[in-house]
Amino acid sequence: MSWQAYVDDHLMCEIEGNHLSSAAIIGHDGSIWAQSPSFPSVKPEEITAILNDFNEPGSLAPTGLYLGGTKYMVIQGEAGAVIRGKKGPGGVTVKKTTMSLIIGVYDEPMTPGFLIALWEVIQF
């Protein structure tokens, strides 16, 4: 199965009647492995800052998490494994795997808990 199929069939699937706004799988080097059509165009420095926060939890808190130029307030995640950001009624969740970042952007009524439950099922 291709990485694009993971995004299309698993990350963008229906979850209790809801869908992510967008999703992507991005390598630690910043390369886009797969993304949904509406995923924002990310900048290399945004990916670098996200990876730095996994290595130094809390480093994004003062400045916020940026994704495609959109600023998210960093909220409680799981140090070294998951970063969560909030913006208005939606947010972003980033999960770090051995080789990639799995990113899901959502709007209400979806919550970060839906994403974590989904990602626990998918093995990357």
Side-chain angles (χ1 to χ4, degrees):
M1 180 179 277
S2 73
W3 291 118
Q4 190 61 50
Y6 273 107
V7 170
D8 297 340
D9 300 338
H10 298 289
L11 298 180
M12 295 301 293
C13 71
E14 183 177 315
I15 305 169
E16 296 184 15
N18 300 299
H19 294 88
L20 291 174
S21 302
S22 62
I25 302 173
I26 300 176
H28 288 184
D29 63 357
S31 62
I32 306 289
W33 293 6
Q35 64 183 7
S36 63
S38 59
F39 192 76
S41 179
V42 294
K43 300 173 186 168
E45 59 269 19
E46 294 172 337
I47 300 304
T48 299
I50 290 169
L51 286 167
N52 285 342
D53 194 76
F54 282 112
N55 296 326
E56 300 173 31
S59 64
L60 283 177
T63 61
L65 182 157
Y66 284 85
L67 191 66
T70 299
K71 181 180 179 179
Y72 295 86
M73 178 180 66
V74 178
I75 57 177
Q76 182 180 10
E78 298 170 34
V82 175
I83 300 170
R84 294 184 179 104
K86 184 83 172 136
K87 179 173 175 50
V92 62
T93 299
V94 183
K95 179 170 177 61
K96 182 181 179 189
T97 71
T98 305
M99 302 184 325
S100 68
L101 299 174
I102 306 166
I103 304 173
V105 180
Y106 63 91
D107 287 310
E108 280 186 340
M110 188 167 265
T111 66
F114 283 114
L115 300 176
I116 298 305
L118 172 66
W119 294 342
E120 293 299 320
V121 175
I122 301 171
Q123 299 298 313
F124 289 91

